[in-house]
Amino acid sequence: MNHSDRIAVWLTGTALALVALGSGPALVGAGGCSAAACHGSADPVFGRRTLGNEYATWEARDPHARAFETLESDGSRAIAERLAAGGRKVIPAAEDARCLACHSSLEALGAPGAPPSVARDGVGCESCHGAAGSWIGIHVTRDWDVFGPGERERRFGMVALGGLARRADRCAGCHVGEGASRGRLARDVNHDLIAAGHPPLRFEFSAFLANMPAHWREHGRNDAPDFPARAWAIGQAASARAAARLLESRARGALHGQTPWPELAEYACASCHHEIGLATPAASGADAPPKPTLAKWGTWYFPLIEMPLGPAGTTMRPCLARLGTLMDAPRPIAGEVVGAARDAATMLERWLADVDRQPFDQGRVTALIGSLRTGGVTPLARQDGRWDLEAQTFLALVPLRQALPPRQRADRGLMLEIIDRRTRLQSYYGTRPPGP
Amino acid sequence: MIKHGTTETASTRERIHVMQKHPARPPAVSALAAAVVFLACASAVAQHAGGGTRTGPTPWLFGESYCAPCHAHPESYRSEQVVCRMNEAQTWEKSDKHKNAFALLSGPRGLHMGKVLKIDVTTNAACLNCHSAPLAPAAPRPGGERLAVRTQQFDRTRDGVTCVVCHGAFREWVLDHTAFEDPEWRGLSRAEKERRAGMVDLWDPATRTRKCLSCHLGNLDEDKILTHAMYAAGHPPLPGIEVSSFCEAMPNHWEWLRDKQAGRRPEVVQTLKQTLDLNKLEQTELVAVGGLLTLREALRLLAAQVSADRPDVPGMRWPDFARFDCYACHHDVNRPNWRQDRLFPGAPGRPPAPTWPMALVILGLEAAGPDQAAQRREEYQRGLRALHEALAAEPFGDRPRTIAAAQGLADWTDETVKALAKTRIDRPLALKLLRTLCRLDRDDLPDYDTARQLFWALRTIARELEPDPKARAPIDAVLARMDNRLGFSLPSAGLQVPIEETLEIRLKAVARFDPAPFLELVGELTRALPSR
């Protein structure tokens, strides 16, 4: 039996096994939230604590609602066929555990009593808010007000998405990825999937959050001018932590032969994916000897990670540098990577808690923008993950600018620079220079 | 008279002196002089070079200036009993890039690579073994060539890949063959000349192919490895190689068999006929044998490198990415992209072996005993599947499985080469092979290098089948269009221009390649082929 067949069997077995174990609270499905009087109003309802039209917003405008449908598209069919290369059995994407883990409410696969149609919801309410079986009843009563967000999560499993760190963490579970744990499927867009046609994941929390049609209003600390800057900084930390944890689980899996290793999705795509074009070397012997270009690790989640911390960020440097050195080797040693990635994740965890508490006042934001701009707009070189750095810089400048007071925000130079950076990024992904 | 290096010995000066006096009969006289000099010190030589017990010929590295006094005299062609053109040194001097192989190490790219790799490219064996005459290793490895430690008129700086690098760097044949009218020398078979005297039998298609491939593809036993570290430091990508086309591109300093009879004295033709089959379809045979051996050598190299996992050469720790398909990774990730439509030989995301060395296997397979073709095809497919699966089992391959699969398939090619050697390729068979090449599996889109192998093979076989350019015009027209459109010809063939002048043309042709027009033109070619 080959690998894919095993997955198929395992997938069909998973539901039964998890039912038997009774693990996980019951899923209700998006339909359970969609009553007009609850979250299914067509328009926002005046005078309520929630908007009331959350379901409608999600259903009509939120791409998460289409996550399952995507698995039935031509593109997904092509991916499934390519994954079956070499004569393996084609597993339709809509039945493949690797796909369903993110493209549906994860727990749908194992939740007792969940109607099979729940998978068809795509990424529904409970994918982010938590399986509602244990709180759907109580959360409409006054008793619910007794519990704070933390308690609601601990006791009932309703995820405290009001906290930005928790929210970013929840997004990163799919948008960065997470290893398999306690009956949960691995959510991992690895190089195998990308090569078969899945777009590579490049998660940046503040941009993704801004692009998602909000079915909520921000409250408390979130309803403050520094929100975009906080979202960026917290997103950086949460994404990097998720990436370090994913790497740890990939390396650990490799020790048992369960995951591919080295995992090529860990590296800058353009490290390898550039056309072979050899520049004429400089004739003079005076220039510094260049390094041979090798695959570069961690160019998406880690290039700016020290920045929001200021001087404190330097404490993280040796830890990440060690991980980088291990990963940049032609044959990274999985056993060593496990430990280094775990250390990095622990450190990032601590930092995430710090940054979650910190305000981002005008001075701090101005300083951050200043240091992002000092690099200037440099030519995009191939192979070295430069595009990733440039893209992260652009994605940092946008929310930081939004966190400035209106007068500074209107700085024409800053705005033009941001527009210029975006144009360049769109025209060139480190492989082919713009133009004919 | 061509220029000479600075390391002349008394014997050379004597040879040249004699030749200037008697230009019409230089070889015999100079041979006599050389024989006298060398016989005198033969015993000392044996002790020095052989290191005690010596079983074969004596490794000895001669420079080009040792050969040129005879082989730069085309006027001897008709007047002498010689079997070669006698202008070989002039061709090598004026047109052959092998001459510049060492000199270019000191060029800007060579210097740059040296800085990146932190080695002196003009003395490092990893470079010299291909860019000059190989250096004798401190401790010879089993299976490796016996290499010369003694040199004669060898000037590394101007000799590059010199005559004896291919013809055999051994003392015995170099001396003996100068007495070419000696019946004892003439009476030796090609195999005996190789075994006893060290003259490499380059008329044997397998031997010639192996010789070329040792550098142009790589050979671990001979320490000729181009690693990814060297590529990344700036070494131009090695193009795929079809030996017959490369021979023409050198350009060949020898005559193809069909040209050997014209204008020769009858006794020379008689001599040639004793050792060579002058009427065989030599180039077609070379394409077919080369097609098998290219895969074999690629597999041997893969297996050897996976097993060796050596740290002493830059980039020799496994995985050496240079053993994988360059363009599996090095391609644009933009869409639409024809690469997306290609089938995966192994699994998506797992770099596969390059496909170009497999492109021409079908020729040898079809030609080696038609009754066994079906069985061979099945064995080949099975071997290939095992290789692809081993390489796809994990990124950069499951090592033990890769070694086993590569060796298994290499053994299969050895068997097929043996069977092929018993087959005489005649016109109907060559035509059949041409048709086989045209009947490509349309679902399996060839990449640039694979398509170029097919192009080279098609061109070589078609030209040999129909030597008359007028009769061949329709085929030539399609091939010319294919070449113009897709840029298959090596832009620096037969030109001693610096690599920088042509490298960009070559790399652009790869980057711009599209399989659709290629397949279309192959279709046109099928229609232009003669019916019989």
Side-chain angles (χ1 to χ4, degrees), chain B residues 341-372:
Chain B
D341 304 326
R342 264 185 114 190
L343 299 177
F344 293 86
R350 313 287 169 91
T355 48
W356 72 262
M358 299 153 188
L360 302 179
V361 168
I362 185 73
L363 296 176
L365 195 155
E366 291 280 332
D371 45 329
Q372 288 159 340

Side-chain angles (χ1 to χ4, degrees), chain A residues 82 85 88 191-192 195-197 260-262 272-276 278-279 281 284-285 287 289-290 292-293 331 429 431-432, chain B residues 108-109 112 115-116 232 234-236 309 317-318 327 329-333 335 340 344 346-350 395-396 399 507 511:
Chain A
R82 291 189 194 115
R88 283 183 291 264
H191 188 255
D192 290 356
W261 193 261
C272 305
H273 293 303
H274 58 83
E275 283 169 356
I276 300 177
L278 299 174
S284 93
D287 49 341
T293 47
R331 196 164 66 189
Y429 175 63
T431 58
R432 195 190 285 252
Chain B
R109 187 170 293 277
H112 175 87
K115 272 193 271 178
V116 176
H235 195 291
D309 195 17
R317 292 304 302 268
W318 191 255
Y327 305 104
C329 302
H330 292 309
H331 63 78
D332 224 4
V333 287
R335 295 189 202 189
Q340 292 267 324
F344 293 86
R350 313 287 169 91
F396 309 114
R399 291 172 67 193
L507 295 176

Side-chain angles (χ1 to χ4, degrees), chain A residues 18 32 36 59 72 91 104 117 132 166 190 245-246 280-281 315 320 325 328 341 351 371 378 399 422 430:
Chain A
L18 292 183
E59 217 285 323
E72 293 175 329
I91 307 171
S104 72
S117 63
R166 184 77 183 100
N190 61 17
R245 279 184 179 166
L246 178 63
T280 308
T315 57
L320 287 175
T325 310
D328 284 347
W351 176 55
S371 47
T378 53
R422 185 182 61 188

Side-chain angles (χ1 to χ4, degrees), chain A residues 25 129-131 134-135 151-159 170:
Chain A
H129 292 277
S134 52
W135 50 265
E151 214 165 2
R152 286 173 183 174
E153 177 152 3
R154 270 193 306 280
R155 291 182 60 167
F156 299 95
M158 181 198 225
V159 181
R170 197 72 177 166

Side-chain angles (χ1 to χ4, degrees), chain B residues 207-238:
Chain B
T207 306
R208 190 193 299 185
T209 303
R210 284 213 189 90
K211 204 62 173 168
C212 300
L213 291 180
S214 73
C215 287
H216 284 273
L217 196 140
N219 186 320
L220 186 71
D221 288 336
E222 297 180 16
D223 271 337
K224 295 169 179 173
I225 306 278
L226 186 47
T227 64
H228 188 264
M230 298 180 193
Y231 279 136
H235 195 291
L238 282 188

